[in-house]
Amino acid sequence: MAPIKRLLVAEWDGNAVYAGFITGVVEDVDKKTVTVTHKDIWWIWARRHILASRTNGAAAAPPITWNARTLATLANLIVAKGMDGDPADRYEMPVIMSADVVGTESRTYYGYKFVKVDKGLDDLIKTDGGPNIDFDTQWVGNEYFRWVMRSGALTQGMWEWDATAEKKEVYGLTFSTDAEGVTDKVFGAGEGSEASVLLRDADSYTGSAAPALERAESYSGISNLGELQSRVNADLNLHNDPTQQMSFRIPAYGVVRVSQLILGGTARVKTDGIRFLAAGWHDWQLIGYTFDREWITLQLQQTGG
């Protein structure tokens, strides 16, 4: 099985729909089964750092600074830096990224902070106007594999399901509304200590009759006030309304196959009889899915949620 040296790739209709690094193998001799554990490419990014040097001088090396880029481009640059190391064949990964785009954003990463690649990406995602990030799995010909990094407003893909039709392909539909995390006032603390800590806030009281719900968050690695304000704004936008989600199963060999699904795409669903959702067509964003040989289970969130 060669753990870590090999990928476990799931294929559907000739397309690679998932790839995970093998991290463990358990063989049960009596049951004649082999259980394989695996991790997707984000597991690698949690084990790489944004560094100018990967030697004893890493902490003292000049910081990495990128100016005048879009947030999506900064995400690409972070991943590229995570693949820049010696020996090159141990750091390089078959990841395809889009070209740099000029923008208004800047970031600086200090070696002594040892910021992990996944943490750098997560910070960008959670910034106001930040990108969605996905690594699409692809075969190249019949023998090579690669990831295509998608960074930005991921909206590719459109599928429709009529859950009210007599011959429907929608089963086990659930609809949920969660207001537990609703916040209408966010305090964000950046670098510093006690009274000298950097602080920015944002609120959404206008037009709301709900009681004030405050939350204080620590962004200890941020020393730029504009960057701190963007994080606070994004946090507020994400939590100032209840989250609505929908889930249902579709047949694995139905009209829509797992090979056609792509995260971020739009699922247009027609429903009726849901107590807290108006009947008719609604657009939802595909935020996740699981599948086996019989069923695909979709996780959807209201568009913009």
Side-chain angles (χ1 to χ4, degrees), residues 4 18 34 38 80 82 88 110 136 160 168 180 236 264 277:
I4 302 178
Y18 170 81
V34 175
H38 44 87
Y110 296 91
D136 190 28
E160 287 190 359
K168 63 183 181 181
E180 181 71 25
L236 178 69
L277 181 67

Side-chain angles (χ1 to χ4, degrees), residues 12-279:
W12 203 279
D13 295 334
N15 298 309
V17 296
Y18 170 81
F21 290 87
I22 296 172
T23 55
V25 182
V26 177
E27 185 171 358
D28 190 312
V29 177
D30 290 341
K31 293 182 179 179
K32 294 182 171 55
T33 62
V34 175
T35 302
V36 179
T37 55
H38 44 87
K39 302 288 186 181
D40 67 17
I41 195 171
W42 286 89
W43 181 76
I44 296 291
W45 305 143
R47 308 287 288 272
R48 300 280 181 92
H49 295 83
I50 310 171
L51 295 171
S53 168
R54 301 186 188 278
T55 67
N56 289 337
I64 296 170
T65 299
W66 293 306
N67 294 312
R69 305 301 214 287
T70 64
L71 291 172
T73 290
L74 289 172
N76 294 341
L77 292 171
I78 286 174
V79 170
K81 183 56 67 174
M83 297 188 295
D84 180 18
D86 185 33
D89 63 341
R90 300 295 297 275
Y91 279 90
E92 290 175 350
M93 301 277 288
V95 177
I96 305 300
M97 290 172 285
S98 56
D100 284 10
V101 177
V102 174
T104 60
E105 299 289 337
S106 301
R107 289 295 186 275
T108 297
Y109 298 94
Y110 296 91
Y112 60 83
K113 292 186 176 181
F114 288 95
V115 178
K116 295 180 179 179
V117 168
D118 69 332
K119 176 63 165 57
L121 295 178
D122 187 60
D123 287 343
L124 294 179
I125 292 170
K126 293 178 178 177
T127 296
D128 192 23
N132 292 319
I133 297 173
D134 181 37
F135 294 88
D136 190 28
T137 52
Q138 290 187 359
W139 288 121
V140 182
N142 297 320
E143 54 182 318
Y144 296 105
F145 174 86
R146 70 183 183 186
W147 287 272
V148 176
M149 182 176 176
R150 304 166 61 229
S151 181
L154 306 186
T155 58
Q156 180 182 350
M158 167 70 80
W159 318 276
E160 287 190 359
W161 288 278
D162 185 349
T164 69
E166 183 176 351
K167 295 183 178 181
K168 63 183 181 181
E169 287 198 346
V170 174
Y171 299 89
L173 188 149
T174 62
F175 171 73
S176 65
T177 301
D178 183 5
E180 181 71 25
V182 169
T183 303
D184 42 29
K185 178 76 171 184
V186 177
F187 297 98
E191 286 197 346
S193 60
E194 299 181 353
S196 65
V197 67
L198 297 180
L199 190 67
R200 283 294 179 266
D201 72 277
D203 65 67
S204 58
Y205 295 137
T206 303
S208 175
L213 298 168
E214 297 181 346
R215 186 157 48 85
E217 291 291 335
S218 174
Y219 308 109
S220 56
I222 298 180
S223 57
N224 179 284
L225 286 176
E227 189 178 330
L228 180 60
Q229 187 68 63
S230 289
R231 286 295 302 273
V232 171
N233 292 345
D235 201 328
L236 178 69
N237 292 336
L238 183 64
H239 296 98
N240 64 358
D241 287 310
T243 299
Q244 291 185 327
Q245 294 188 335
M246 179 180 289
S247 178
F248 56 82
R249 293 178 296 135
I250 59 175
Y253 289 95
V255 175
V256 177
R257 307 293 185 88
V258 68
S259 55
Q260 297 172 265
L261 298 174
I262 187 165
L263 294 180
T266 299
R268 183 161 292 164
V269 185
K270 184 179 181 181
T271 57
D272 192 11
I274 299 178
R275 187 181 301 273
F276 300 109
L277 181 67

